Amino acid sequence: MKLAGTQLERPRIVVMGGGTGLSVMLRGLKQKPLDITAIVTVADDGGSSGILRSELQMPPPGDIRNVLTALADVEPLMADLLKYRFSSGSGLAGHSLGNLILAAMTDISGDFVTGVRELSRVFAVRGRVLPAAEEAVVLHAEMEDGSVVSGESKIPEAGGRIKRVFLEPTHVEPLPEAVEAIERADAILIGPGSLYTSILPNLLVPKLAEAVVASQAVKIFVCNVMTQPGETDNYSVGDHLQAVYDHVGHQLFDYVIVNNGDIPAQVLDKYAEQGAKPVQLDLDSVTGQGYKVVADTLVLFRTYLRHDADKLSQHIYQLVQNWILRRR
C-alpha cells in the first residue's frame, strides 16, 4: 500500500477460486476498502454452464456470474434476476438468466473477456472479475485406483479417492491481466470452495501458479468448513494444504483461516446424511509445517452452512493491513 498524494491507496487483493464459497466471501470483502480482483476457474462443465460452453463454444459463465453478482452494486431485485433459473420452457429450463446475459454479451462484444468487462461496468461491480484463461479447459482426475475421470461435474460423482487433477490442454495460457494482477497484489487469497474442482484448476494454469509462487504478497488460504463428498472425504485442514502442495510443488501460504466454532447437532446430522462432516483442524501438523493459523467461529446456518462473510472479511482485512505495515 503506497502513498498516493495525501491518501493511501487501497490494498490490492487477488482472490482465486470458484463456486458458492467464493461468492459468499466476496460479499463481505467488497464492504472493505480493498481493490479486489477475482480470478475465476473456467473448468465448469455442468448444468447451464456446460450447455452454453458446448453449444456456443465459450468459457463456462456460471462461476463468473456468481462472482459478478456478489461484487455488483445493484438493487437486490437485480441480483435476484441474475440468479433466476428458468424451471420450464423448451431450451430454457435449467438456464440462469445471468448465464444467458453473459452469453449474449460475449456475442455482442466479440469475446468472453470483453463481455465480462462490459457486464462488470453495467452492474457497477466493485473490483475486477477475470477468467483464469480465455478458453474453457477440461478438468481430469486420476483416482487412487488408477482410473481417470474427465469433466469437472463428473469428478465428485466417481466415488473414489482423488490422487491428482490435471487440465487439458496442459499448457493453457492464462489471461495476461490475471498474471499482472497477481504480480501487483498486496494479498492473494485462495478458497473457500471445492478443493479439486474450483480451487486447484486455477493453480494448474502454469503461469498463474508461477506468479503466485513468486509473489511477495501475503498468501492466505481459507479452508472449507465441511468436507465435500466424493472430493475431500475425511480430509483435515492439513490434508487440504497437502493437496495444494502436491499439485503446485511449493508451500504457498503464510496464513490459514479455519472455523473452530461449534455446529449444532441437527445441522451436523443433516450434512452427515449427504456424507459430509466438519473439516478437522490438525493444529500441530499445520503449524509444524510453518503455517500460521487464524481460528474463529466463522459459520452461519440458514438453509446451508456458509462462512460468516463479515467476520471472515474482517480477519482477512486485518491480516492484509498488518502485512503491509510490516513491509513499509
Side-chain angles (χ1 to χ4, degrees):
M1 186 165 58
K2 300 177 182 178
L3 287 172
T6 58
Q7 294 185 333
L8 291 174
E9 292 181 0
R10 294 186 174 208
R12 295 183 289 266
I13 181 169
V14 169
V15 184
M16 302 176 70
T20 305
L22 178 65
S23 300
V24 170
M25 181 177 65
L26 286 171
R27 287 189 174 91
L29 285 176
K30 77 176 183 181
Q31 305 301 329
K32 301 295 183 185
L34 295 166
D35 180 351
I36 301 171
T37 298
I39 299 175
V40 186
T41 178
V42 287
D44 188 9
D45 65 353
S48 172
S49 286
I51 293 170
L52 293 172
R53 166 181 171 153
S54 175
E55 293 188 356
L56 301 181
Q57 302 301 303
M58 62 179 286
D63 284 332
I64 293 280
R65 181 206 76 234
N66 285 333
V67 171
L68 285 171
T69 305
L71 290 174
D73 190 10
V74 295
E75 295 296 324
L77 179 59
M78 183 59 71
D80 289 341
L81 276 173
L82 287 173
K83 292 184 289 185
Y84 176 77
R85 193 172 295 274
F86 293 92
S87 58
S88 61
S90 177
L92 277 177
H95 280 297
S96 80
L97 182 58
N99 284 0
L100 295 177
I101 291 173
L102 255 175
M105 189 65 80
T106 297
D107 195 41
I108 291 168
S109 64
D111 68 89
F112 185 65
V113 175
T114 304
V116 172
R117 187 181 299 121
E118 289 301 310
L119 204 58
S120 297
R121 183 180 58 80
V122 169
F123 290 115
V125 166
R126 299 187 191 181
R128 289 194 300 165
V129 181
L130 303 174
E134 293 188 69
E135 61 180 308
V137 296
V138 178
L139 184 67
H140 304 278
E142 180 185 353
M143 314 304 284
E144 290 285 358
D145 64 4
S147 62
V148 174
V149 180
S150 298
E152 178 267 344
S153 62
K154 296 179 178 63
I155 291 170
E157 300 173 356
R161 190 172 177 86
I162 299 170
K163 180 179 181 181
R164 69 181 182 106
V165 289
F166 58 98
L167 298 180
E168 183 184 346
T170 306
H171 299 293
V172 60
E173 285 293 317
L175 194 69
E177 293 98 317
V179 176
E180 180 185 357
I182 292 170
E183 292 172 344
R184 298 178 66 244
D186 296 302
I188 298 170
L189 184 62
I190 295 177
S194 300
L195 177 62
Y196 288 102
T197 54
S198 291
I199 292 173
L200 283 171
N202 292 294
L203 294 173
L204 292 174
V205 178
K207 292 179 183 177
L208 284 187
E210 292 166 10
V212 173
V213 169
S215 171
Q216 297 302 304
V218 60
K219 298 163 194 171
I220 305 167
F221 182 73
V222 181
C223 193
N224 292 338
V225 174
M226 304 294 289
T227 61
Q228 184 171 350
E231 195 158 334
T232 55
D233 297 284
N234 299 312
Y235 270 37
S236 66
V237 174
D239 291 329
H240 283 76
L241 294 168
Q242 186 64 47
V244 175
Y245 180 89
D246 289 344
H247 283 78
V248 179
H250 291 270
Q251 185 167 308
L252 290 184
F253 307 107
D254 302 291
Y255 292 93
V256 182
I257 299 179
V258 300
N259 171 65
N260 67 353
D262 292 330
I263 300 171
Q266 65 270 25
V267 178
L268 292 177
D269 290 343
K270 177 180 177 180
Y271 274 84
E273 291 174 1
Q274 304 167 19
K277 61 183 182 180
V279 175
Q280 296 299 312
L281 172 58
D282 41 350
L283 185 61
D284 290 342
S285 173
V286 172
T287 56
Q289 295 176 62
Y291 300 103
K292 301 178 183 69
V293 175
V294 176
D296 196 0
T297 301
L298 294 173
V299 289
L300 296 172
F301 178 75
R302 293 188 177 93
T303 305
Y304 300 97
L305 277 172
R306 295 284 183 255
H307 277 94
D308 183 327
D310 293 335
K311 289 182 73 173
L312 179 57
S313 60
Q314 183 57 40
H315 278 295
I316 293 167
Y317 185 62
Q318 194 62 57
L319 288 175
V320 175
Q321 282 191 314
N322 291 344
W323 184 270
I324 291 172
L325 287 172
R326 284 201 299 269
R327 288 176 57 191
R328 288 177 60 188

